[in-house]
Amino acid sequence: MDLAENCLQGQTLEFELNGYETRSELLQALQDGKIDLIFHANQNPYFAETNGFALSDTLLTLNMAAITAKDSFDENKENIVAVEKDDFALKAYLSYNYPQWKVVEYETSDAAVKAMQKGEADCIVSNSGTVSDYLKNNKLHSVFLTKEADVPFAIQQEEPVLLSILNKTLTSMPTTQFSGAVVSYNASSRKVTAKDFIQDNLLAVSLIVGISIFVVLCIILDSLKKSKRAEEKSKKSAEQALKLNQELEEKQQELQNALVEAQSANKAKTSFLNNMSHDIRTPINGIIGMLTILEKSGSDAERAKDCMNKIYESSKLLLSLINDVLDMAKLESDTVVFGDESINLDQVCQEITESLSFQAEEKGLHVIGEHDDYSGIYVWSNAVHLKKILMNLFTNGMKYNKVNGSIYMSMRTIERSEDHMTCEFKIKDNGIGMSEEFIKNELFTPFVQADNSPRSDYNGTGLGMPIVKQLVEKMGGTITVESKLGEGSCFTVVLPFEIDTNARPEEKEDFNADISGVRILLVEDNELNAEIAEFMLTENGAKVETVKNGLEAVQHFEACESGTYDVILMDVMMPVMDGLTATKTIRSLERQDAKTIPIIAMTANAFREDAEKCMEAGMNAHLAKPLDDEKIKQTISEELRRSNACHE
């Protein structure tokens, strides 16, 4: 802070330091506006957005270590880590860097340590500066992690000016002075531990210990000559010395094993990054390449159409990759919201069949489906998560099938009472199949595919099956797999449901989604996104007026006459004023159309909980980016129809 106060030319920054008893009080103080920034947080953009704050550039990087009571520890496995419930910075670091770990919260750090010692958790995580505090207990071991913690400041989202000042401060701060300050701080607060010294000087320590043992033995031999009593003592000392030597050899072996594990982890990390780089670059390269060909194709309409189709397919692959990675991250960090709704299983299966059967038939695959009659039965579940499970299994059957292969789908009731039922979903293919070893050790491991050879054909991220498994388990069900190489695979999912005994079938009215002549206020800060949305809307006959942030939207709406606009399309994350705040402000205006005009969220925040936040703010519907032409027409038409029905 002292260095930062005078690092900007001719300007002085003033920092007032406030202390809080707990980290939760600290975070609440930031959210309530009582303080302007927190030091320190961890670089985790999603965690920051979820908790309502923004992050500065990285200030410093900390080495992190896992403290464990186990004989061996592999950071790439699905470890259970004990964390103090109040430590939001550490939880942010873990969810960002180790999404496959399961985080178990405890009221205090001491409780987390005790849980690890009892075997309830595989480890706790600490920065390298405090590792020595835990190693005083010789039953604990430390394993330095390959992923460092990048430490920034945390700032309120509504403070872009302060964020800019802090980032400029970090850029302007003299690197040598800052590094010297950090070194001085670490040196004053922590001394080198015995373990640190041994790790850094293993050969010298071994030599010193060996000489020490030799000297001890010489003293013991000299004592033997003096008395029988001394002989007994020396014998005991010799045994202790031997034991010490054995322990030293064991420690040396442990250090060697740790080195091998670190090298293995580094290799796995490199392999993962290479695969991800390939998977992301493949569709991006396709998009850029097709744009180049399209630019040079001139008046060749067929070639241009082929390029556009390939750009569209590559875009879908890239979106699928991003969605899978985000889904996996939320499942691993246990932040997925599993809210129930009344759904009809017949309708869910019909939507999946209609969506995927055509794609399968295009690939030359035969689709066979059969299921019990669920036409009048409604259950409490989550349609999005159920569809995700079945669609991932179905698309897996398409990806790894053979020419002229087949996919069999079935759904049947295996148990039912008055208000509960258990259903079995079975998806079977006669494709390439999997080995028993792959099913047992790798099928449900993130970023692993049955064919790990260099890929000329993109087959996805290897996240589909881990996502399916976690969703099934979180919905209280089970998944089993039967497969043979060259003969195909059969996935069986069993899920329990609570029957909605009060449900009444909805009578859906068919209507034509027509938005020609509809007057729309479009609120979008990104110029490219605004251009795309405006093109889609005007191509369908709508009249569009665009503003760049929530504040402009409020001012524009307030200044216009009642009835000027039929609907508002509102982005959520914008500078000056975000979409949620703008919606609440419009709804609070003292005019009738402010209460009734349909406001539709148009945002890249595509998760269910994001949609719920939009509804709570006063919006009527939620459109996820990238925008779909038919979806946007359908949504606007439905909301206008509802609005008109209410007026009547």
Side-chain angles (χ1 to χ4, degrees):
M1 294 301 183
D2 292 338
L3 291 174
E5 286 184 350
N6 300 296
C7 69
L8 297 180
Q9 297 179 355
Q11 299 183 40
T12 300
L13 300 176
E14 295 183 4
F15 295 91
E16 177 184 338
L17 303 182
N18 291 343
Y20 290 86
E21 292 294 333
T22 64
R23 295 181 182 88
S24 58
E25 291 177 1
L26 179 66
L27 183 58
Q28 189 63 49
L30 179 68
Q31 294 171 341
D32 294 341
K34 295 179 180 178
I35 57 175
D36 300 301
L37 66 155
I38 290 175
F39 177 84
H40 67 82
N42 268 295
Q43 288 289 8
N44 186 332
Y46 177 76
F47 184 87
E49 180 182 336
T50 303
N51 287 274
F53 59 83
L55 298 173
S56 72
D57 294 340
T58 297
L59 173 63
L60 58 88
T61 299
L62 299 177
N63 292 318
M64 305 297 288
I67 312 299
T68 179
K70 295 182 178 295
D71 294 333
S72 62
F73 181 86
D74 185 353
E75 71 178 81
N76 295 306
K77 293 184 178 178
E78 297 181 0
N79 295 302
I80 300 174
V81 56
V83 178
E84 181 183 359
K85 181 179 181 181
D86 201 32
D87 197 343
F88 72 90
L90 180 57
K91 288 189 284 186
Y93 163 79
L94 292 170
S95 65
Y96 188 72
N97 292 283
Y98 297 96
Q100 76 274 22
W101 289 13
K102 179 180 179 182
V103 175
V104 179
E105 297 182 348
Y106 293 86
E107 288 298 325
T108 65
S109 59
D110 289 341
V113 173
K114 290 179 181 178
M116 176 267 295
Q117 292 174 322
K118 292 178 181 178
E120 296 175 9
D122 297 311
C123 68
I124 61 171
V125 171
S126 170
N127 69 65
S128 59
T130 59
V131 167
S132 60
D133 296 337
Y134 296 104
L135 299 186
K136 295 174 183 178
N137 183 341
N138 57 17
K139 294 182 180 180
L140 300 181
H141 316 286
S142 66
V143 178
F144 280 83
L145 302 176
T146 59
K147 297 177 182 178
E148 300 171 327
D150 294 324
V151 176
F153 291 103
I155 305 100
Q156 287 183 313
Q157 286 183 344
E158 297 84 7
E159 295 289 346
V161 175
L162 176 58
L163 180 61
S164 176
I165 291 173
L166 287 173
N167 287 337
K168 288 178 181 178
T169 300
L170 295 177
T171 304
S172 305
M173 190 179 293
T175 304
T176 55
Q177 289 186 26
F178 177 69
S179 300
V182 173
V183 170
S184 176
Y185 174 82
N186 287 336
S188 64
S189 61
R190 173 180 174 268
K191 297 181 180 180
V192 176
T193 65
K195 183 174 181 180
D196 294 333
F197 181 80
I198 291 173
Q199 287 176 331
D200 295 336
N201 305 275
L202 184 59
L203 182 60
V205 170
S206 300
L207 182 60
I208 292 170
V209 171
I211 294 173
S212 300
I213 293 173
F214 176 76
V215 171
V216 170
L217 290 174
C218 289
I219 295 172
I220 292 172
L221 290 173
D222 184 62
S223 300
L224 282 171
K225 296 177 182 179
K226 294 181 178 179
S227 67
K228 185 176 180 179
R229 185 176 180 183
E231 181 181 355
E232 293 175 355
K233 290 183 179 179
S234 64
K235 183 178 180 181
K236 185 177 180 181
S237 298
E239 291 174 352
Q240 291 176 341
L242 182 60
K243 182 179 179 181
L244 180 63
N245 193 41
Q246 290 174 342
E247 290 177 353
L248 180 59
E249 291 177 356
E250 291 174 359
K251 292 296 182 183
Q252 290 174 332
Q253 186 60 47
E254 287 179 10
L255 291 172
Q256 182 62 33
N257 293 340
L259 176 61
V260 172
E261 288 180 6
Q263 292 171 338
S264 175
N266 190 52
K267 183 178 179 181
K269 179 181 178 182
T270 302
S271 175
F272 163 73
L273 291 174
N274 288 340
N275 286 338
M276 286 298 294
S277 176
H278 173 275
D279 288 343
I280 292 175
R281 289 175 183 273
T282 296
I284 291 177
N285 184 61
I287 294 170
I288 295 173
M290 287 300 105
L291 287 172
T292 302
I293 295 174
L294 183 62
E295 183 181 11
K296 297 180 179 180
S297 61
S299 58
D300 189 343
E302 285 298 319
R303 189 63 182 275
K305 183 178 180 181
D306 179 61
C307 288
M308 293 298 292
N309 287 335
K310 289 175 179 176
I311 289 172
Y312 181 66
E313 291 301 318
S314 294
S315 300
K316 288 200 300 182
L317 287 176
L318 186 58
L319 181 61
S320 174
L321 170 67
I322 294 169
N323 284 338
D324 280 351
V325 172
L326 291 176
D327 283 343
M328 196 67 211
K330 288 180 74 65
L331 284 166
E332 291 288 353
S333 61
D334 203 23
T335 56
V336 174
V337 178
F338 282 85
D340 284 346
E341 57 188 329
S342 183
I343 64 172
N344 177 249
L345 295 178
D346 256 348
Q347 183 180 346
V348 171
C349 288
Q350 181 182 352
E351 290 175 358
I352 294 172
T353 303
E354 291 176 353
S355 173
L356 297 176
S357 292
F358 179 72
Q359 298 178 34
E361 290 167 3
E362 273 192 329
K363 291 178 175 287
L365 302 174
H366 306 286
V367 179
I368 304 168
E370 60 181 15
H371 59 82
D372 295 347
D373 182 12
Y374 295 98
S375 55
I377 301 174
Y378 284 74
V379 298
W380 291 104
S381 186
N382 187 293
V384 173
H385 295 148
L386 181 57
K387 287 178 184 177
K388 173 75 77 172
I389 291 169
L390 299 179
M391 291 180 76
N392 276 5
L393 292 175
F394 191 97
T395 53
N396 206 58
M398 286 196 295
K399 290 176 188 175
Y400 301 106
N401 219 311
K402 300 175 181 177
V403 177
N404 296 321
S406 64
I407 300 176
Y408 169 80
M409 298 176 61
S410 73
M411 178 174 69
R412 66 187 185 93
T413 303
I414 58 177
E415 187 178 9
R416 178 170 177 176
S417 64
E418 183 178 345
D419 54 1
H420 285 81
M421 65 188 300
T422 302
C423 294
E424 176 194 81
F425 302 86
K426 193 182 291 287
I427 297 181
K428 184 178 181 181
D429 66 73
N430 60 351
I432 63 175
M434 298 171 287
S435 67
E436 290 185 12
E437 182 180 356
F438 179 81
I439 294 173
K440 181 179 179 181
N441 299 320
E442 299 180 347
L443 175 61
F444 297 113
T445 301
F447 301 103
V448 175
Q449 295 171 321
D451 178 11
N452 261 335
S453 58
R455 293 169 282 176
S456 58
D457 182 27
Y458 181 86
N459 279 325
T461 60
L463 289 174
M465 289 302 101
I467 289 173
V468 166
K469 185 174 186 295
Q470 292 218 30
L471 284 175
V472 168
E473 291 177 350
K474 289 180 183 296
M475 294 173 71
T478 61
I479 180 170
T480 55
V481 189
E482 296 177 8
S483 183
K484 287 186 179 181
L485 283 172
E487 297 183 14
S489 305
C490 179
F491 291 85
T492 303
V493 174
V494 177
L495 291 172
F497 297 105
E498 180 185 353
I499 300 174
D500 181 5
T501 54
N502 298 318
R504 294 181 180 178
E506 292 185 23
E507 295 182 3
K508 293 192 175 180
E509 179 184 345
D510 293 330
F511 70 97
N512 182 32
D514 181 14
I515 61 172
S516 56
V518 175
R519 296 159 298 178
I520 299 174
L521 177 61
L522 174 64
V523 190
E524 172 61 72
D525 66 304
N526 184 281
E527 292 184 9
L528 181 59
N529 288 341
E531 182 180 352
I532 293 169
E534 193 170 341
F535 175 81
M536 285 184 176
L537 296 167
T538 54
E539 277 291 298
N540 286 288
K543 298 177 181 179
V544 182
E545 194 166 347
T546 305
V547 294
K548 295 183 178 180
N549 59 62
L551 181 60
E552 288 186 15
V554 173
Q555 294 171 342
H556 216 73
F557 184 84
E558 194 171 14
C560 74
E561 294 183 4
S562 179
T564 300
Y565 302 108
D566 298 312
V567 66
I568 299 175
L569 290 182
M570 181 80 73
D571 188 19
V572 173
M573 295 184 64
M574 294 181 290
V576 185
M577 181 185 288
D578 63 80
L580 300 179
T581 305
T583 299
K584 293 176 183 177
T585 306
I586 290 174
R587 293 299 190 207
S588 66
L589 295 176
E590 294 297 328
R591 45 189 282 185
Q592 185 57 35
D593 62 336
K595 316 294 182 185
T596 59
I597 186 170
I599 303 178
I600 301 172
M602 185 179 62
T603 173
N605 297 335
F607 292 108
R608 176 187 176 90
E609 51 267 39
D610 299 315
E612 291 176 352
K613 288 180 181 178
C614 293
M615 302 304 108
E616 291 171 1
M619 296 186 181
N620 301 85
H622 179 272
L623 287 169
K625 297 176 184 176
L627 297 175
D628 177 83
D629 188 59
E630 289 301 319
K631 181 68 175 176
I632 197 172
K633 282 198 304 180
Q634 186 78 16
T635 303
I636 291 174
S637 298
E638 287 180 357
E639 293 307 319
L640 286 174
R641 189 165 66 97
R642 288 195 186 99
S643 178
N644 293 334
C646 290
H647 290 317
E648 292 174 3

